[in-house]
Coordinates of all heavy atoms in Angstrom, one line a residue:
M1 N 0.8 -1.2 0.0 CA 0.0 0.0 0.0 C 0.9 1.2 0.0 O 1.9 1.3 0.7 CB -0.9 0.0 1.2 CG -2.0 1.0 1.2 SD -3.2 0.9 2.5 CE -3.1 -0.8 3.2
S2 N 0.5 2.2 -0.8 CA 1.3 3.4 -0.8 C 0.4 4.6 -0.9 O -0.8 4.5 -1.2 CB 2.2 3.4 -2.1 OG 1.4 3.5 -3.3
D3 N 0.9 5.8 -0.5 CA 0.2 7.0 -0.6 C 0.4 7.6 -1.9 O 1.6 7.8 -2.3 CB 0.6 8.0 0.5 CG 0.1 7.5 1.9 OD1 -1.0 6.9 1.9 OD2 0.8 7.7 2.9
S4 N -0.6 8.0 -2.7 CA -0.5 8.7 -3.9 C -1.0 10.1 -3.7 O -1.4 10.5 -2.6 CB -1.3 8.0 -5.0 OG -2.7 8.1 -4.8
Q5 N -0.9 10.9 -4.7 CA -1.3 12.3 -4.6 C -2.8 12.4 -4.2 O -3.2 13.3 -3.5 CB -1.1 13.1 -5.9 CG 0.4 13.4 -6.1 CD 0.6 14.1 -7.4 OE1 0.1 13.7 -8.5 NE2 1.4 15.2 -7.4
S6 N -3.6 11.5 -4.7 CA -5.1 11.5 -4.5 C -5.5 10.7 -3.2 O -6.6 10.6 -3.0 CB -5.8 11.0 -5.7 OG -5.4 9.7 -6.0
G7 N -4.5 10.2 -2.5 CA -4.9 9.5 -1.3 C -4.1 8.2 -1.2 O -3.0 8.0 -1.8
T8 N -4.7 7.2 -0.6 CA -4.1 5.9 -0.4 C -4.3 5.0 -1.7 O -5.5 5.0 -2.2 CB -4.6 5.2 0.8 OG1 -4.3 6.1 1.9 CG2 -4.0 3.9 1.0
R9 N -3.3 4.3 -2.1 CA -3.4 3.4 -3.2 C -2.9 2.1 -2.8 O -1.9 1.9 -2.3 CB -2.6 4.0 -4.4 CG -2.7 3.1 -5.6 CD -2.0 3.7 -6.8 NE -2.9 4.6 -7.4 CZ -2.8 5.0 -8.7 NH1 -1.9 4.5 -9.5 NH2 -3.7 5.9 -9.2
V10 N -3.7 1.0 -3.1 CA -3.4 -0.3 -2.9 C -3.1 -0.9 -4.3 O -3.9 -1.0 -5.1 CB -4.5 -1.1 -2.2 CG1 -4.2 -2.6 -2.1 CG2 -4.9 -0.5 -0.9
A11 N -1.8 -1.4 -4.5 CA -1.4 -1.9 -5.7 C -1.5 -3.5 -5.6 O -0.9 -4.1 -4.8 CB 0.0 -1.5 -6.1
I12 N -2.3 -4.0 -6.6 CA -2.4 -5.5 -6.7 C -1.2 -5.9 -7.6 O -1.3 -5.6 -8.8 CB -3.7 -6.0 -7.2 CG1 -4.9 -5.4 -6.3 CG2 -3.8 -7.5 -7.3 CD1 -4.9 -5.9 -4.9
V13 N -0.3 -6.6 -7.1 CA 0.9 -7.0 -7.9 C 0.9 -8.4 -8.4 O 1.8 -8.7 -9.2 CB 2.2 -6.7 -7.1 CG1 2.3 -5.2 -6.8 CG2 2.3 -7.4 -5.8
D14 N 0.0 -9.2 -7.9 CA 0.0 -10.6 -8.4 C -1.3 -10.8 -9.2 O -2.2 -10.0 -9.1 CB -0.1 -11.6 -7.2 CG 1.2 -11.6 -6.4 OD1 2.3 -11.6 -7.0 OD2 1.2 -11.5 -5.1
D15 N -1.4 -11.9 -9.9 CA -2.6 -12.3 -10.6 C -3.8 -12.3 -9.6 O -3.6 -12.8 -8.5 CB -2.5 -13.6 -11.3 CG -1.4 -13.5 -12.4 OD1 -1.2 -12.4 -12.9 OD2 -0.9 -14.6 -12.8
M16 N -5.0 -11.9 -10.1 CA -6.2 -12.0 -9.2 C -6.9 -13.3 -9.6 O -7.9 -13.3 -10.3 CB -7.1 -10.8 -9.4 CG -6.4 -9.5 -8.9 SD -7.6 -8.1 -8.8 CE -8.5 -8.6 -7.4
T17 N -6.4 -14.4 -9.0 CA -6.9 -15.7 -9.3 C -7.2 -16.4 -8.0 O -6.9 -15.9 -6.9 CB -5.9 -16.6 -10.1 OG1 -4.7 -16.8 -9.3 CG2 -5.5 -16.0 -11.4
I18 N -7.9 -17.5 -8.1 CA -8.2 -18.3 -6.9 C -7.0 -18.5 -6.0 O -7.2 -18.6 -4.8 CB -8.9 -19.6 -7.3 CG1 -9.5 -20.3 -6.1 CG2 -8.0 -20.5 -8.0 CD1 -10.9 -20.0 -5.8
Y19 N -5.9 -18.6 -6.6 CA -4.7 -18.9 -5.8 C -4.2 -17.8 -4.9 O -3.5 -18.0 -3.9 CB -3.5 -19.4 -6.7 CG -3.9 -20.5 -7.7 CD1 -4.2 -20.3 -9.0 CD2 -4.1 -21.8 -7.2 CE1 -4.6 -21.3 -9.9 CE2 -4.5 -22.8 -8.0 CZ -4.7 -22.6 -9.3 OH -5.1 -23.6 -10.2
N20 N -4.6 -16.6 -5.3 CA -4.1 -15.4 -4.5 C -5.3 -14.7 -3.8 O -5.1 -13.7 -3.1 CB -3.4 -14.4 -5.4 CG -2.2 -15.0 -6.1 OD1 -1.5 -15.7 -5.5 ND2 -2.0 -14.7 -7.4
A21 N -6.5 -15.2 -4.0 CA -7.7 -14.4 -3.6 C -7.7 -14.2 -2.1 O -8.1 -13.1 -1.6 CB -9.0 -15.2 -4.0
S22 N -7.3 -15.2 -1.3 CA -7.4 -15.1 0.2 C -6.5 -14.0 0.7 O -6.9 -13.1 1.5 CB -7.0 -16.4 0.8 OG -7.1 -16.3 2.2
A23 N -5.3 -13.9 0.2 CA -4.3 -12.9 0.7 C -4.8 -11.5 0.2 O -4.7 -10.5 0.9 CB -2.9 -13.2 0.2
Q24 N -5.2 -11.5 -1.1 CA -5.7 -10.2 -1.6 C -6.9 -9.7 -0.9 O -7.1 -8.5 -0.7 CB -5.9 -10.3 -3.1 CG -4.6 -10.5 -3.9 CD -4.8 -10.9 -5.3 OE1 -5.9 -11.3 -5.7 NE2 -3.8 -10.7 -6.1
K25 N -7.8 -10.6 -0.6 CA -9.0 -10.2 0.2 C -8.6 -9.6 1.5 O -9.2 -8.5 1.8 CB -9.9 -11.4 0.4 CG -11.1 -11.1 1.2 CD -12.0 -12.4 1.5 CE -13.2 -12.1 2.3 NZ -13.9 -13.3 2.6
Q26 N -7.7 -10.2 2.2 CA -7.3 -9.6 3.5 C -6.6 -8.2 3.3 O -6.9 -7.3 4.0 CB -6.3 -10.5 4.2 CG -6.1 -10.2 5.6 CD -7.4 -10.2 6.4 OE1 -8.1 -11.2 6.5 NE2 -7.7 -9.0 7.1
Q27 N -5.8 -8.1 2.2 CA -5.1 -6.8 2.0 C -6.2 -5.7 1.7 O -6.1 -4.6 2.2 CB -4.2 -7.0 0.7 CG -3.5 -5.7 0.3 CD -2.8 -5.9 -1.0 OE1 -3.0 -6.8 -1.8 NE2 -1.9 -5.0 -1.3
L28 N -7.2 -6.0 0.9 CA -8.2 -5.0 0.5 C -9.1 -4.7 1.7 O -9.5 -3.6 1.9 CB -8.9 -5.5 -0.7 CG -8.1 -5.5 -2.0 CD1 -8.8 -6.2 -3.1 CD2 -7.6 -4.1 -2.4
L29 N -9.5 -5.7 2.4 CA -10.4 -5.5 3.6 C -9.7 -4.7 4.7 O -10.3 -3.9 5.4 CB -11.0 -6.8 4.1 CG -12.0 -7.5 3.2 CD1 -12.5 -8.7 3.8 CD2 -13.2 -6.5 2.8
D30 N -8.4 -5.0 4.8 CA -7.6 -4.2 5.8 C -7.5 -2.7 5.4 O -7.7 -1.8 6.2 CB -6.1 -4.7 5.9 CG -6.1 -6.0 6.6 OD1 -7.1 -6.5 7.3 OD2 -5.0 -6.7 6.6
A31 N -7.4 -2.4 4.1 CA -7.3 -1.1 3.6 C -8.7 -0.4 3.8 O -8.8 0.8 4.2 CB -7.0 -1.0 2.1
L32 N -9.8 -1.2 3.6 CA -11.1 -0.7 3.8 C -11.4 -0.3 5.2 O -12.1 0.6 5.5 CB -12.1 -1.7 3.2 CG -13.6 -1.3 3.1 CD1 -13.8 -0.1 2.3 CD2 -14.4 -2.5 2.6
A33 N -10.8 -1.1 6.1 CA -11.0 -0.9 7.5 C -10.4 0.4 8.0 O -10.8 1.1 8.9 CB -10.5 -2.1 8.4
V34 N -9.3 0.8 7.4 CA -8.5 1.9 7.8 C -8.8 3.2 7.1 O -8.7 4.3 7.7 CB -6.9 1.6 7.6 CG1 -6.1 2.8 8.0 CG2 -6.6 0.4 8.5
H35 N -9.2 3.1 5.8 CA -9.3 4.3 5.0 C -10.8 4.5 4.6 O -11.5 3.6 4.2 CB -8.4 4.2 3.7 CG -7.0 4.0 4.1 ND1 -6.2 5.1 4.5 CD2 -6.2 2.9 4.0 CE1 -5.0 4.6 4.8 NE2 -5.0 3.3 4.5
D36 N -11.2 5.8 4.5 CA -12.5 6.1 4.0 C -12.6 6.1 2.5 O -13.6 5.9 1.9 CB -13.0 7.5 4.5 CG -13.3 7.4 6.0 OD1 -13.6 6.4 6.5 OD2 -13.2 8.5 6.6
E37 N -11.4 6.3 1.9 CA -11.3 6.3 0.4 C -9.9 5.8 0.0 O -8.9 6.2 0.6 CB -11.6 7.7 -0.2 CG -11.5 7.7 -1.6 CD -11.9 9.1 -2.2 OE1 -12.6 9.8 -1.5 OE2 -11.5 9.4 -3.4
F38 N -9.9 4.9 -0.9 CA -8.6 4.4 -1.5 C -8.8 3.9 -2.9 O -9.9 3.6 -3.3 CB -8.0 3.4 -0.6 CG -8.7 2.0 -0.5 CD1 -8.3 1.0 -1.3 CD2 -9.8 1.9 0.3 CE1 -9.0 -0.2 -1.2 CE2 -10.5 0.7 0.4 CZ -10.1 -0.4 -0.4
E39 N -7.7 3.9 -3.6 CA -7.6 3.4 -5.0 C -7.0 2.0 -5.0 O -6.1 1.7 -4.2 CB -6.7 4.3 -5.8 CG -7.3 5.7 -6.0 CD -6.3 6.6 -6.8 OE1 -5.1 6.3 -6.9 OE2 -6.8 7.6 -7.3
I40 N -7.6 1.2 -5.9 CA -7.1 -0.2 -6.1 C -6.4 -0.2 -7.5 O -7.1 -0.1 -8.5 CB -8.2 -1.2 -6.0 CG1 -8.9 -1.2 -4.6 CG2 -7.6 -2.6 -6.3 CD1 -10.2 -2.0 -4.6
D41 N -5.1 -0.2 -7.5 CA -4.3 -0.1 -8.7 C -4.2 -1.5 -9.3 O -3.6 -2.4 -8.7 CB -2.9 0.4 -8.4 CG -2.0 0.6 -9.6 OD1 -2.3 -0.1 -10.7 OD2 -1.1 1.3 -9.5
L42 N -4.8 -1.7 -10.5 CA -4.9 -3.0 -11.1 C -3.9 -3.1 -12.3 O -4.0 -4.1 -13.1 CB -6.3 -3.3 -11.6 CG -7.4 -3.3 -10.5 CD1 -8.7 -3.3 -11.1 CD2 -7.1 -4.4 -9.5
S43 N -3.0 -2.2 -12.4 CA -2.1 -2.2 -13.6 C -1.2 -3.4 -13.7 O -0.7 -3.7 -14.9 CB -1.2 -0.9 -13.6 OG -0.4 -0.8 -12.5
A44 N -0.8 -4.0 -12.6 CA 0.1 -5.2 -12.7 C -0.6 -6.5 -12.8 O 0.1 -7.6 -12.8 CB 1.0 -5.2 -11.5
V45 N -1.9 -6.5 -12.9 CA -2.7 -7.8 -12.9 C -2.6 -8.4 -14.3 O -3.2 -7.8 -15.2 CB -4.1 -7.6 -12.5 CG1 -4.9 -8.9 -12.6 CG2 -4.2 -7.0 -11.1
A46 N -1.9 -9.5 -14.5 CA -1.7 -10.1 -15.8 C -2.8 -11.1 -16.0 O -3.1 -11.4 -17.2 CB -0.4 -10.8 -15.9
E47 N -3.4 -11.6 -15.0 CA -4.5 -12.6 -15.1 C -5.5 -12.4 -14.0 O -5.2 -12.1 -12.9 CB -3.9 -14.0 -15.0 CG -4.9 -15.1 -15.3 CD -4.3 -16.5 -15.2 OE1 -3.0 -16.7 -15.2 OE2 -5.0 -17.5 -15.1
I48 N -6.8 -12.6 -14.4 CA -7.9 -12.4 -13.4 C -8.9 -13.5 -13.8 O -9.2 -13.7 -14.9 CB -8.4 -11.0 -13.4 CG1 -9.5 -10.9 -12.3 CG2 -8.9 -10.6 -14.7 CD1 -9.9 -9.4 -12.0
D49 N -9.4 -14.2 -12.7 CA -10.5 -15.1 -13.0 C -11.7 -14.7 -12.2 O -11.8 -13.6 -11.6 CB -10.0 -16.6 -12.6 CG -9.6 -16.8 -11.2 OD1 -10.0 -15.9 -10.3 OD2 -9.0 -17.8 -10.9
T50 N -12.7 -15.6 -12.1 CA -13.9 -15.2 -11.4 C -13.7 -15.0 -9.9 O -14.4 -14.2 -9.3 CB -15.0 -16.3 -11.6 OG1 -14.5 -17.6 -11.2 CG2 -15.5 -16.4 -13.0
A51 N -12.7 -15.6 -9.3 CA -12.4 -15.3 -7.9 C -12.0 -13.8 -7.8 O -12.3 -13.2 -6.8 CB -11.3 -16.2 -7.4
G52 N -11.1 -13.4 -8.7 CA -10.7 -12.0 -8.7 C -11.8 -11.0 -8.9 O -11.9 -10.0 -8.2
I53 N -12.7 -11.3 -9.8 CA -13.9 -10.5 -10.1 C -14.8 -10.4 -8.8 O -15.2 -9.4 -8.4 CB -14.7 -11.0 -11.3 CG1 -13.9 -10.7 -12.6 CG2 -16.1 -10.4 -11.4 CD1 -13.7 -9.2 -12.9
Q54 N -15.0 -11.6 -8.2 CA -15.8 -11.7 -7.0 C -15.2 -10.8 -5.9 O -15.9 -10.1 -5.1 CB -16.0 -13.1 -6.5 CG -16.9 -13.9 -7.4 CD -16.9 -15.4 -7.0 OE1 -16.1 -15.9 -6.3 NE2 -17.9 -16.1 -7.6
L55 N -13.9 -10.8 -5.8 CA -13.2 -10.0 -4.8 C -13.4 -8.5 -5.0 O -13.7 -7.8 -4.1 CB -11.7 -10.4 -4.8 CG -10.8 -9.6 -3.8 CD1 -11.4 -9.7 -2.4 CD2 -9.4 -10.1 -3.9
L56 N -13.3 -8.1 -6.3 CA -13.5 -6.7 -6.6 C -15.0 -6.3 -6.3 O -15.2 -5.2 -5.8 CB -13.2 -6.4 -8.1 CG -11.7 -6.6 -8.4 CD1 -11.5 -6.3 -9.9 CD2 -10.8 -5.6 -7.6
I57 N -15.9 -7.2 -6.6 CA -17.3 -6.9 -6.3 C -17.5 -6.8 -4.8 O -18.2 -5.9 -4.3 CB -18.2 -8.0 -6.9 CG1 -18.2 -7.9 -8.5 CG2 -19.7 -7.9 -6.4 CD1 -18.9 -9.1 -9.2
L58 N -16.9 -7.7 -4.1 CA -17.0 -7.7 -2.6 C -16.5 -6.4 -2.0 O -17.2 -5.7 -1.2 CB -16.2 -8.9 -2.0 CG -16.1 -8.8 -0.5 CD1 -17.3 -9.2 0.2 CD2 -14.9 -9.7 0.0
V59 N -15.3 -6.0 -2.4 CA -14.7 -4.7 -1.9 C -15.6 -3.5 -2.2 O -15.8 -2.7 -1.4 CB -13.3 -4.6 -2.4 CG1 -12.7 -3.2 -2.0 CG2 -12.4 -5.7 -1.8
K60 N -16.1 -3.4 -3.5 CA -16.9 -2.3 -3.9 C -18.2 -2.3 -3.1 O -18.7 -1.3 -2.6 CB -17.2 -2.3 -5.4 CG -16.0 -2.1 -6.3 CD -15.5 -0.7 -6.3 CE -16.4 0.1 -7.2 NZ -15.8 1.5 -7.3
R61 N -18.8 -3.5 -2.9 CA -20.1 -3.6 -2.2 C -19.9 -3.2 -0.7 O -20.6 -2.4 -0.1 CB -20.6 -5.0 -2.2 CG -22.0 -5.1 -1.6 CD -22.5 -6.5 -1.5 NE -21.6 -7.2 -0.5 CZ -21.2 -8.5 -0.6 NH1 -21.6 -9.2 -1.6 NH2 -20.5 -9.0 0.4
E62 N -18.8 -3.7 -0.1 CA -18.5 -3.4 1.3 C -18.2 -1.9 1.5 O -18.6 -1.3 2.5 CB -17.4 -4.3 1.9 CG -17.8 -5.7 2.1 CD -18.9 -5.8 3.2 OE1 -18.7 -5.4 4.3 OE2 -20.0 -6.2 2.8
A63 N -17.5 -1.4 0.6 CA -17.2 0.1 0.7 C -18.5 0.9 0.7 O -18.7 1.8 1.5 CB -16.3 0.5 -0.4
G64 N -19.4 0.6 -0.2 CA -20.6 1.2 -0.3 C -21.5 1.1 1.0 O -22.1 2.0 1.5
R65 N -21.5 -0.2 1.5 CA -22.2 -0.5 2.7 C -21.7 0.3 3.9 O -22.5 0.8 4.8 CB -22.1 -2.0 3.0 CG -23.0 -2.4 4.2 CD -22.9 -3.9 4.4 NE -21.6 -4.3 4.9 CZ -21.2 -4.2 6.2 NH1 -22.0 -3.6 7.1 NH2 -20.0 -4.5 6.6
L66 N -20.4 0.6 3.9 CA -19.8 1.3 5.1 C -19.7 2.8 4.8 O -19.2 3.5 5.6 CB -18.4 0.7 5.3 CG -18.3 -0.7 5.7 CD1 -16.9 -1.2 5.7 CD2 -18.9 -0.9 7.1
G67 N -20.2 3.2 3.7 CA -20.2 4.7 3.4 C -18.8 5.1 3.0 O -18.4 6.3 3.2
K68 N -18.0 4.2 2.5 CA -16.6 4.5 2.1 C -16.5 4.4 0.6 O -17.5 4.1 -0.1 CB -15.6 3.5 2.7 CG -15.7 3.6 4.3 CD -14.6 2.8 4.9 CE -14.6 3.0 6.4 NZ -13.4 2.3 7.0
R69 N -15.3 4.6 0.0 CA -15.1 4.6 -1.4 C -13.9 3.8 -1.8 O -12.8 4.2 -1.3 CB -15.1 6.0 -1.9 CG -15.1 6.1 -3.4 CD -15.5 7.5 -3.8 NE -15.5 7.6 -5.3 CZ -14.7 8.3 -6.0 NH1 -13.8 9.0 -5.4 NH2 -14.8 8.3 -7.3
A70 N -14.0 2.8 -2.6 CA -12.9 2.1 -3.2 C -13.0 2.3 -4.7 O -14.0 1.9 -5.3 CB -13.0 0.6 -2.8
V71 N -11.9 2.8 -5.3 CA -11.9 3.2 -6.7 C -10.9 2.3 -7.4 O -9.8 2.2 -7.1 CB -11.6 4.7 -6.9 CG1 -11.6 5.0 -8.4 CG2 -12.5 5.6 -6.1
L72 N -11.4 1.6 -8.5 CA -10.6 0.8 -9.3 C -9.9 1.7 -10.3 O -10.5 2.5 -11.1 CB -11.4 -0.3 -10.1 CG -12.3 -1.2 -9.2 CD1 -13.0 -2.1 -10.0 CD2 -11.4 -1.9 -8.1
V73 N -8.5 1.6 -10.4 CA -7.8 2.5 -11.3 C -6.7 1.6 -12.0 O -6.4 0.5 -11.6 CB -7.1 3.6 -10.5 CG1 -8.1 4.5 -9.9 CG2 -6.0 3.1 -9.5
A74 N -6.2 2.2 -13.1 CA -5.1 1.6 -13.9 C -5.4 0.2 -14.3 O -4.5 -0.7 -14.1 CB -3.8 1.8 -13.2
H75 N -6.6 -0.1 -14.8 CA -7.0 -1.4 -15.2 C -6.0 -2.0 -16.2 O -5.8 -1.4 -17.3 CB -8.4 -1.4 -15.8 CG -9.4 -0.8 -15.0 ND1 -9.5 0.5 -14.7 CD2 -10.5 -1.4 -14.3 CE1 -10.6 0.7 -13.9 NE2 -11.2 -0.4 -13.7
S76 N -5.4 -3.2 -16.0 CA -4.6 -3.8 -17.0 C -5.5 -4.3 -18.1 O -6.7 -4.4 -18.0 CB -3.8 -5.0 -16.4 OG -4.8 -6.0 -16.0
S77 N -4.9 -4.7 -19.2 CA -5.7 -5.2 -20.4 C -6.4 -6.5 -20.0 O -7.6 -6.7 -20.4 CB -4.8 -5.4 -21.6 OG -3.8 -6.4 -21.3
A78 N -5.8 -7.3 -19.1 CA -6.5 -8.5 -18.7 C -7.8 -8.2 -17.9 O -8.8 -8.8 -18.0 CB -5.6 -9.4 -17.8
V79 N -7.6 -7.2 -17.0 CA -8.8 -6.8 -16.2 C -9.9 -6.2 -17.1 O -11.0 -6.5 -16.9 CB -8.4 -5.8 -15.1 CG1 -9.6 -5.2 -14.3 CG2 -7.4 -6.5 -14.1
R80 N -9.5 -5.3 -18.0 CA -10.5 -4.7 -18.9 C -11.2 -5.7 -19.7 O -12.4 -5.7 -19.8 CB -9.8 -3.7 -19.8 CG -9.4 -2.4 -19.1 CD -9.0 -1.3 -20.1 NE -8.1 -1.7 -21.2 CZ -6.8 -1.7 -21.1 NH1 -6.2 -1.3 -20.0 NH2 -6.0 -2.1 -22.1
E81 N -10.5 -6.7 -20.1 CA -11.1 -7.8 -21.0 C -12.2 -8.6 -20.2 O -13.3 -8.8 -20.7 CB -10.0 -8.7 -21.5 CG -10.5 -9.8 -22.4 CD -9.4 -10.7 -22.9 OE1 -8.4 -10.1 -23.3 OE2 -9.5 -11.9 -22.8
V82 N -11.8 -8.9 -18.9 CA -12.8 -9.7 -18.1 C -13.9 -8.9 -17.7 O -15.1 -9.3 -17.7 CB -12.1 -10.4 -16.9 CG1 -13.0 -11.1 -16.0 CG2 -11.0 -11.4 -17.5
V83 N -13.7 -7.6 -17.3 CA -14.8 -6.7 -16.9 C -15.7 -6.5 -18.0 O -16.9 -6.5 -17.9 CB -14.2 -5.4 -16.3 CG1 -15.3 -4.3 -16.2 CG2 -13.5 -5.6 -15.0
D84 N -15.1 -6.3 -19.2 CA -15.9 -6.2 -20.4 C -16.7 -7.4 -20.7 O -17.9 -7.4 -21.1 CB -15.1 -5.8 -21.6 CG -15.8 -5.3 -22.8 OD1 -16.8 -4.5 -22.6 OD2 -15.5 -5.7 -23.9
F85 N -16.1 -8.6 -20.6 CA -16.8 -9.9 -20.9 C -18.0 -10.1 -20.0 O -19.0 -10.5 -20.5 CB -15.8 -11.0 -20.7 CG -16.4 -12.4 -20.9 CD1 -16.6 -12.9 -22.2 CD2 -16.8 -13.2 -19.8 CE1 -17.2 -14.1 -22.4 CE2 -17.4 -14.4 -20.0 CZ -17.6 -14.9 -21.3
F86 N -17.9 -9.7 -18.7 CA -19.0 -9.9 -17.8 C -19.9 -8.6 -17.8 O -20.8 -8.6 -17.0 CB -18.5 -10.2 -16.4 CG -17.9 -11.6 -16.2 CD1 -16.6 -11.8 -16.0 CD2 -18.8 -12.7 -16.3 CE1 -16.1 -13.1 -15.9 CE2 -18.3 -14.0 -16.2 CZ -16.9 -14.2 -16.0
N87 N -19.6 -7.6 -18.6 CA -20.3 -6.4 -18.7 C -20.5 -5.7 -17.3 O -21.6 -5.4 -16.9 CB -21.7 -6.7 -19.3 CG -22.4 -5.4 -19.8 OD1 -21.7 -4.4 -20.1 ND2 -23.7 -5.5 -19.9
L88 N -19.4 -5.6 -16.6 CA -19.5 -5.1 -15.2 C -19.0 -3.6 -15.1 O -19.0 -3.1 -14.0 CB -18.6 -5.9 -14.3 CG -19.2 -7.3 -14.0 CD1 -18.1 -8.2 -13.3 CD2 -20.4 -7.2 -13.2
A89 N -18.5 -3.0 -16.2 CA -18.0 -1.6 -16.1 C -19.0 -0.7 -15.4 O -18.6 0.1 -14.5 CB -17.6 -1.1 -17.5
A90 N -20.2 -0.7 -15.8 CA -21.2 0.2 -15.2 C -21.4 -0.1 -13.8 O -21.7 0.7 -12.9 CB -22.5 0.2 -16.0
S91 N -21.4 -1.4 -13.4 CA -21.6 -1.8 -12.0 C -20.5 -1.3 -11.1 O -20.8 -0.9 -10.0 CB -21.7 -3.4 -11.9 OG -22.8 -3.9 -12.7
F92 N -19.3 -1.4 -11.6 CA -18.2 -0.9 -10.8 C -18.2 0.6 -10.7 O -17.8 1.2 -9.7 CB -16.8 -1.3 -11.4 CG -16.5 -2.8 -11.1 CD1 -16.0 -3.6 -12.1 CD2 -16.8 -3.4 -9.9 CE1 -15.7 -4.9 -11.9 CE2 -16.5 -4.7 -9.6 CZ -16.0 -5.5 -10.6
G93 N -18.6 1.3 -11.8 CA -18.7 2.7 -11.8 C -17.4 3.5 -11.9 O -17.4 4.7 -11.6
D94 N -16.3 2.9 -12.2 CA -15.0 3.5 -12.3 C -14.6 3.6 -13.7 O -14.8 2.7 -14.5 CB -14.0 2.7 -11.5 CG -14.4 2.6 -10.0 OD1 -14.7 3.6 -9.4 OD2 -14.3 1.4 -9.5
P95 N -14.1 4.8 -14.2 CA -13.7 4.8 -15.6 C -12.6 3.9 -15.9 O -11.7 3.7 -15.1 CB -13.2 6.3 -15.7 CG -13.0 6.8 -14.3 CD -13.8 5.9 -13.4
M96 N -12.7 3.3 -17.1 CA -11.6 2.4 -17.5 C -10.9 3.1 -18.7 O -11.5 3.1 -19.8 CB -12.2 1.0 -18.0 CG -12.6 0.2 -16.8 SD -12.7 -1.6 -17.2 CE -13.6 -1.6 -18.7
L97 N -9.7 3.5 -18.5 CA -9.0 4.2 -19.5 C -8.0 3.3 -20.2 O -7.3 2.5 -19.5 CB -8.2 5.4 -18.9 CG -9.1 6.4 -18.1 CD1 -8.2 7.4 -17.4 CD2 -10.1 7.0 -19.0
I98 N -8.0 3.4 -21.5 CA -7.0 2.5 -22.2 C -5.8 3.4 -22.5 O -5.9 4.4 -23.2 CB -7.7 2.1 -23.6 CG1 -8.9 1.3 -23.3 CG2 -6.7 1.3 -24.4 CD1 -9.7 0.9 -24.5
P99 N -4.6 2.9 -22.0 CA -3.4 3.7 -22.3 C -3.1 3.8 -23.8 O -3.4 2.9 -24.5 CB -2.3 2.8 -21.6 CG -3.0 2.0 -20.6 CD -4.4 1.7 -21.2
A100 N -2.5 4.9 -24.2 CA -2.3 5.2 -25.6 C -1.4 4.1 -26.2 O -1.6 3.8 -27.4 CB -1.6 6.6 -25.7
R101 N -0.5 3.5 -25.5 CA 0.4 2.5 -26.1 C -0.4 1.3 -26.4 O 0.1 0.4 -27.2 CB 1.5 2.2 -25.1 CG 1.1 1.5 -23.8 CD 2.3 1.3 -22.9 NE 2.0 0.6 -21.7 CZ 1.4 1.1 -20.7 NH1 1.0 2.4 -20.7 NH2 1.1 0.4 -19.6
E102 N -1.6 1.1 -25.8 CA -2.4 -0.1 -26.1 C -3.5 0.2 -27.1 O -4.0 -0.7 -27.7 CB -3.1 -0.7 -24.8 CG -2.1 -1.3 -23.9 CD -2.8 -1.8 -22.7 OE1 -4.0 -2.2 -22.8 OE2 -2.2 -1.8 -21.6
G103 N -3.9 1.4 -27.3 CA -5.0 1.8 -28.2 C -4.6 1.7 -29.6 O -4.9 1.2 -30.5

């Protein structure tokens, strides 16, 4: 976890798969317990499966329930692809920007 100009940022550095879900869940819920608002940096996520998507849904839902804000930022191409596949962009409510080098 690091502080960015806009507040606290949690960088997910491993794949968001069933194999990492438990540790990532704890990392994100810990951040949610401490901060009223934080960013979840997804730029290093090379692979994401349904466990990863479920985790993002959980964190966004819990943040809303607690009156807090968790913002998904810097979506990797893998994350964008899966979010698009499941048509979840509107549900998450965070802008998904495509870097110029990928466009």
